[in-house]
Amino acid sequence: AALALALAAYARADEARRAEQARFTELRSLAGYMLFDLDTRMRRIAGSTDARANLTARAQSYLSALAASAQADPGLRQEAAQGFNQLARIQGLPTEPNLGLREEARANLRRAQDLLMGLPADAPARAVALSRTHAYRAMIELHGDANQDGAARSLDAAFAALNSIPEGQRGADWATALANARHAKVDLLLLSGRIDEMAPLAEEIERGVDAWPASERNSPAAKFERAYADFVRGQARNVAGSPAEALPFLQAGERQLVQLDAQSPNDPIVLNALAWLAYEGYNAGTEPNPAESARFLALARRTVDRLLALEANDRSLQSLAINVRQSQAELLSAQGRFADAIALQRDVLNGRRAVARRDHD
């Protein structure tokens, strides 16, 4: 009788353990879906950034709780770190639609780094995630804090993490993380005045895509990287004082981004790149090709307006929109359309006053 009772109790306990493991696995799967798959789909929906932040925060709380449990394995802790990275992107990564929550983003990047530093150092996925953490921090330091030295140190750490992975273990995630770090380095070179290093970095970006697996070299991600390389080539030449040489590269980058937008409408990453490229094209074409300059400026305005429809509260996007409208007012004035120029410039002033009220510094 005692043996029968013991066996029955063991069976019930074993069934409870299996049920608990099933719930654990289901919750882990749900959190991963919310953080990555669902977020990717939602970011093309107008005004979804607040909802994405709430969804990501809830999913991240699930992952954090699971990562703290006795059943947590290194893979789960890594997923939790990736969740913190994702949440930081939505909260305050300057190059994407974000909520302007810079300090919250910085805190989540610290949490991601703490989790990742506790994992085995030889795991490629850990190094990739750590590189993203450092690269995201560099962008916040560069654009949010104007801290070029801090951004440079963060980028050095991002590249060091990627270089720690042996060549035979460098997959698609490694390649995209390297691209992210290189994008951040472009901004650092531009803002620190190291213009002569920009064109060589653009060539590195292009060669990096050429080294991707054959199945990925014509993917949308690869096309985006090639377009971005053309943008950097054009930007470097324009800032260096050769706008006529810059225009062909900017036009080539525009064609590729427009194709990507047609294939996948309302992707904010593509639209953001197109807006900045078009604004650079306006600046480059002012003297050598005024008509092309005006066309680029109109494209920048249309693209910015589309982005604002996706997320009206994005602070970096609001600043770009003000700058584009300022340029349009100047162009109208140069064309002798003074009443239109003054009306648009009043909008610019209202926008700048709103920024001044919000950000007193």
Side-chain angles (χ1 to χ4, degrees), residues 26 34 53 150 167 269:
E26 288 171 1
M34 292 166 65
E167 289 191 14
I269 306 301

Side-chain angles (χ1 to χ4, degrees), residues 2 13 29 36 42-43 64 84 118-119 122 125 196 243 282 284 293 332 336 339:
S29 177
F36 305 111
M42 285 181 64
R43 71 182 186 181
S64 296
F84 281 125
L119 299 177
D122 59 348
D196 57 333
Y282 156 72
S293 175
L332 289 169

